[in-house]
Amino acid sequence: MTGLQPSQSYTYRYGSDSVGWSDTNTFRMPPAAGSDETSFVIYGDMGKAPLDPSVEHHIQPGSISVVKAVAKEIQTGKVNSVFHIGDISYATGFLVEWDFFLNLIAPLASRVPYMTAIGNHERDYAESGSVYVTPDSGGECGVAYESYFRMPAVSKDKPWYSIEQGSVHFVVMSTEHKWSEMSEQYKWMNQDLSSVNRSRTPWVIFIGHRPMYSSHVGIPVNVDLAFVASVEPLLLKHQVDLVFFGHVHNYERTCAIYKNICKGKPKKDESGIDTYDNSKYTAPVHATVGAGGFSLDKFPRIVLNKWSLSRVSEFGYARVHATRGDMLVQFVSSSTMEVLDQFRFVKPDPARRLRNKPV
């Protein structure tokens, strides 16, 4: 479908007289770039699980509860889009399982834009050009992913892109393609972040799959220090407000951090919510949201990282609402719909400052 307008709803069905027609769906477009607000849900590492006693080669136990919870969020009319940031179906070469997954997320993707980032289980394979030489995609090498999820990417097998919704500029990278300083993707990220108009989109959110910070001790390790050394300086240089990653199957939030050092910590507002004052920007805040369905990763009993401010090992997703001067992030349990962590950012609206500037 083309020519869809921001903030408009469209009723549609698909099929033919010869084979039959689908039920009627209503799809709503997100708000235009530069408008006053937007809301979205974000998670990673979902996969699928059978709704009956069928056996599949990968079963992600939390995927059903997360889909049901997000469907309820969408039914309220307050969700403009969904972001699924890597490790999408875990089909890993069993292509019929993509069909199972697409059927699972139909209540979400048929109603609002379903935006994605590529992960290791979509792309990585030996002699395929992926940064990490693992068998994780089962030989799919990103082909199935790019066929099913047509993102506004640079080109084929260059699945990085940026979009704007409401008051937010989103930058979506691929941690599975080359990201070093001389790479095409790095140069694109630098150029895109340099071009952000903060009067139109005051908030910048950076999205990828593999995290830069994690308190979970994994084998192999969850954090690639070479990736951090190459890309983290871009986030500080361009004053990225918030970073979302997945890959680790839990939820974790940091202070405003750079090179493992807390540059700023939140203060409690009148409601007791951790609040980062980005009118005095210090560094990005990182949130891992890989609790979308795959078996959870537990945290160690003792966490020595002073930068780790909140840790949750439950299935769930982040819910974000951004106006021009405020952005609220909540991590929601998919089983209880309870908010398990929340924090917000505040800053003056740059467009308002320009409007009020004396002449």
Side-chain angles (χ1 to χ4, degrees), residues 111-337:
R111 293 174 177 263
V112 297
Y114 198 91
M115 309 304 296
T116 58
I118 199 167
N120 52 300
H121 284 286
E122 288 75 59
R123 183 59 183 83
D124 293 4
Y125 206 68
E127 299 181 3
S128 71
S130 57
V131 173
Y132 304 98
V133 182
T134 75
D136 290 353
S137 78
E140 290 183 6
C141 304
V143 174
Y145 164 80
E146 290 192 314
S147 298
Y148 286 121
F149 293 96
R150 301 287 183 92
M151 295 297 107
V154 172
S155 64
K156 186 176 180 180
D157 201 31
K158 297 177 182 179
W160 46 90
Y161 63 92
S162 66
I163 59 172
E164 293 182 336
Q165 295 180 5
S167 54
V168 179
H169 182 96
F170 297 90
V171 179
V172 181
M173 75 162 299
S174 168
T175 56
E176 313 312 302
H177 292 74
K178 292 180 181 178
W179 31 249
S180 60
E181 287 86 339
M182 298 305 295
S183 68
E184 179 181 354
Q185 181 175 203
Y186 181 94
K187 294 174 182 177
W188 175 87
M189 290 188 291
N190 188 39
Q191 188 278 328
D192 185 84
L193 288 166
S194 299
S195 67
V196 176
N197 182 345
R198 292 280 185 156
S199 296
R200 183 173 64 182
T201 52
W203 303 107
V204 175
I205 294 178
F206 188 88
I207 293 171
H209 182 60
R210 296 175 185 260
M212 294 185 180
Y213 295 94
S214 177
S215 296
H216 175 260
V217 180
I219 300 175
V221 295
N222 297 312
V223 176
D224 181 349
L225 296 180
F227 167 58
V228 179
S230 290
V231 179
E232 189 181 27
L234 278 180
L235 309 182
L236 186 72
K237 173 185 175 182
H238 297 293
Q239 297 193 4
V240 169
D241 297 287
L242 177 59
V243 182
F244 282 114
F245 289 120
H247 193 59
V248 183
H249 304 147
N250 53 37
Y251 168 82
E252 186 168 20
R253 168 171 59 97
T254 73
C255 57
I257 190 170
Y258 183 64
K259 292 187 175 180
N260 280 290
I261 298 173
C262 282
K263 298 296 185 179
K265 288 191 174 182
K267 296 181 179 180
K268 300 289 185 182
D269 67 6
E270 60 276 7
S271 301
I273 300 174
D274 278 1
T275 302
Y276 300 84
D277 183 359
N278 274 24
S279 65
K280 304 170 184 176
Y281 181 85
T282 55
V285 173
H286 292 242
T288 298
V289 289
F294 201 95
S295 297
L296 293 166
D297 290 327
K298 302 296 184 181
F299 290 101
R301 290 185 178 181
I302 300 175
V303 175
L304 300 177
N305 299 320
K306 294 181 179 180
W307 47 258
S308 180
L309 302 188
S310 179
R311 297 175 297 279
V312 179
S313 186
E314 288 191 31
F315 295 119
Y317 54 91
R319 178 173 63 202
V320 185
H321 178 248
T323 65
R324 298 190 64 81
D326 189 292
M327 181 162 59
L328 175 66
V329 183
Q330 298 173 309
F331 181 74
V332 181
S333 165
S334 61
S335 59
T336 65
M337 303 289 285

Side-chain angles (χ1 to χ4, degrees), residues 23 85 96 151 220 268 284 355:
D23 293 334
I85 57 174
V96 68
M151 295 297 107
K268 300 289 185 182
R355 289 195 297 268

Side-chain angles (χ1 to χ4, degrees), residues 66-114:
V66 172
V67 166
K68 287 182 176 179
V70 175
K72 290 179 181 178
E73 298 272 10
I74 291 173
Q75 288 169 4
T76 68
K78 297 179 181 179
V79 174
N80 300 129
S81 55
V82 172
F83 286 81
H84 185 165
I85 57 174
D87 288 4
I88 308 295
S89 72
Y90 291 92
T92 60
F94 294 80
L95 292 185
V96 68
E97 296 193 8
W98 277 104
D99 291 339
F100 299 162
F101 172 77
L102 294 169
N103 182 68
L104 178 68
I105 66 165
L108 318 181
S110 64
R111 293 174 177 263
V112 297
Y114 198 91

